[in-house]
């Protein structure tokens, strides 16, 4: 079950996007005014046992602290295509493309679309989204531009802008199209299903005490950790304590492989192994723990059977970094593509999760947490380095331009 937090004026659009997904139930939290968002989200979380949550920028800004830490969620937002369609509607109405004021979109997106449409960028005022900015200031931004330029319309993603300017100035909505929302829903559903599959996969954690004498205390600490209540825990060598548990449990303890706070109570280090068999997972955990012992401060690493290392994970939760045990080929490829080894290894991890499925630049951008224009620039770099190939296109919207699809080929190059 996926929860949808939407404005009443957007419900039909989201329902259209959701209608193509099978095997998923939807629970709705619909609001009329932005000050209603928190109550609607709280009610949704209370009434339903959700597997995921999809919301826009405004609901996320208003209710992000209400979202449970272990609940997968996505924030859908209007894309460059949605802004271009708004300008197409303006021309269809006989209005000039500029001057105009635009809210919510980033300056980079406005720059990209204006360049593609050959518009005068200096005649376009932009107000990027600010989660702490009240709707009255957004309306004030548009009114100030209207007074200064006499523009015939504004482009907005905020429903409150249309309500405030109703009867005074036309507002063209640059809302996410059903195709954009559909892509976000598919991506969220895939993450949920992968998470559910991971709950049935097991991994091994090896915790190493500094001395053999400290191992009993370390084992008592792990047995007393609530998250390990259902894990299998036993001694491993003179200093080690072995923990066998589902991958999802280790992800919870490490905050998605970011940090390992329980190490703050001891001088121990930890290594996690995730392989195709229990024997391989133990071997990987032993290597990861040995790598952690090389660091000056207590920490942990994850080694996977396909060659990826994640770490260091510190007791205080140091930033997540990706690398490979064998750096040479990765660094050579990264240099050829003009990317950092960390970025290329993240792309390799994404390629493994896709299992041969092609991906759009927008999907790749969301997976990496970057903007759509940055995703397209990344695709161009990978294409030049022959690390991706175009495999066709997908028509996500009947009225929009087809989206090109690409298949990553980083693993084959490695």
């Amino acid at each position: 079950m996926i929860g949808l937090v939407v404005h009443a004026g957007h419900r039909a659009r989201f329902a259209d996007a959701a209608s193509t997904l099978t095997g998923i139930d939807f629970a709705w939290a619909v609001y009329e005014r932005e000050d209603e968002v928190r109550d609607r989200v709280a009610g949704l979380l209370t009434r339903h046992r959700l597997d995921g949550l999809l919301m826009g920028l405004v609901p996320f800004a208003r209710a992000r602290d209400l979202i449970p830490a272990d609940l997968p969620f996505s924030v859908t937002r209007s894309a460059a295509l949605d802004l271009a369609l708004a300008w197409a509607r303006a021309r269809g109405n006989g209005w000039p493309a500029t001057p105009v004021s635009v809210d919510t979109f980033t300056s980079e997106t406005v720059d990209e679309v204006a360049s593609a449409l050959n518009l005068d960028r200096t005649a376009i005022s932009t107000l990027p989204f600010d989660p702490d900015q009240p709707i009255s200031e957004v309306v004030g931004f548009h009114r100030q531009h209207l007074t200064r330029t006499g523009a015939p319309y504004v482009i907005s993603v905020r429903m409150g802008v249309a309500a405030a300017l109703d009867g005074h100035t036309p507002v063209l909505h640059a809302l996410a199209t059903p195709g954009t929302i559909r892509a976000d829903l598919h991506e969220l559903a895939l993450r949920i299903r992968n998470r559910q599959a991971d709950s049935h996969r097991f991994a091994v954690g090896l915790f190493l005490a500094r001395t053999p004498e400290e191992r009993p205390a370390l084992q008592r600490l792990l047995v007393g950790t609530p998250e390990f209540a259902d894990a299998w825990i036993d001694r491993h060598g003179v200093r080690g304590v072995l923990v066998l548990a589902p991958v999802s449990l280790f992800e919870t303890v490490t905050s998605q492989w970011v940090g390992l706070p329980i190490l703050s109570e001891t001088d121990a280090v930890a290594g996690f192994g995730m392989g195709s068999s229990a024997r391989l997972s133990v071997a990987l955990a032993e290597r990861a723990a040995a790598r952690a012992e090389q660091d000056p401060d207590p920490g942990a690493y994850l080694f996977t059977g396909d060659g990826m290392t994640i770490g260091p994970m510190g007791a205080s939760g140091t930033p997540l970094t990706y690398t490979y045990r064998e750096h040479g080929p990765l660094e050579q490829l990264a240099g050829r593509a003009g990317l950092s080894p960390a970025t290329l290894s993240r792309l390799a991890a994404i390629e493994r999760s896709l299992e041969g499925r092609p991906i759009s630049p927008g999907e790749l951008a969301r997976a990496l947490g970057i903007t759509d224009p940055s995703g397209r620039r990344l695709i161009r770099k990978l294409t030049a380095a022959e690390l991706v190939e175009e495999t066709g296109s997908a028509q996500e919207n009947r009225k929009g331009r087809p989206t090109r699809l690409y298949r990553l080929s980083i693993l084959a190059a490695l």
Side-chain angles (χ1 to χ4, degrees), residues 357-374:
R357 181 177 67 85
I359 190 172
S360 69
E363 288 180 287
L364 185 62
R366 286 189 289 274
L368 291 170
I370 60 177
T371 64
D372 283 1
S374 297

Side-chain angles (χ1 to χ4, degrees), residues 182-341:
R182 188 177 302 117
D184 289 336
L185 280 173
H186 276 283
E187 187 272 336
L188 177 59
L190 180 61
R191 275 199 287 132
I192 294 171
R193 285 165 178 155
N194 287 343
R195 181 188 179 93
Q196 292 171 341
D198 281 345
S199 67
H200 300 291
R201 295 175 58 208
F202 279 78
V204 168
L206 176 60
F207 294 78
L208 292 181
R210 184 173 55 180
T211 65
E213 292 74 22
E214 294 176 355
R215 185 196 53 74
L218 173 61
Q219 186 164 353
R220 287 194 297 271
L221 171 64
L222 296 175
V223 170
T225 301
E227 291 84 356
F228 289 152
D230 296 325
W232 185 80
I233 301 176
D234 203 352
R235 291 178 295 175
H236 187 78
V238 296
R239 293 190 296 127
V241 179
L242 203 66
V243 179
L244 179 65
V247 172
S248 58
L249 186 151
F250 287 122
E251 288 177 340
T252 299
V253 171
T254 61
S255 299
Q256 303 297 317
W257 311 113
V258 173
L260 194 56
I262 60 175
L263 291 182
S264 62
E265 304 179 37
T266 176
D267 289 331
V269 299
F272 300 99
M274 194 187 309
S276 57
S277 67
R279 184 184 298 274
L280 177 58
S281 296
V282 171
L284 291 168
E286 290 172 338
R287 297 175 201 166
R291 173 65 184 86
E293 286 196 295
Q294 298 175 20
D295 291 344
D297 299 318
Y301 282 84
L302 164 69
F303 282 8
T304 68
D306 51 12
M308 189 174 71
T309 298
I310 296 180
M313 295 172 254
S316 59
T318 56
L320 176 67
T321 57
Y322 289 75
T323 183
Y324 272 76
R325 294 196 298 277
E326 301 295 337
H327 293 278
L330 185 76
E331 291 179 344
Q332 293 172 9
L333 277 179
R336 195 175 83 197
L339 301 170
S340 70

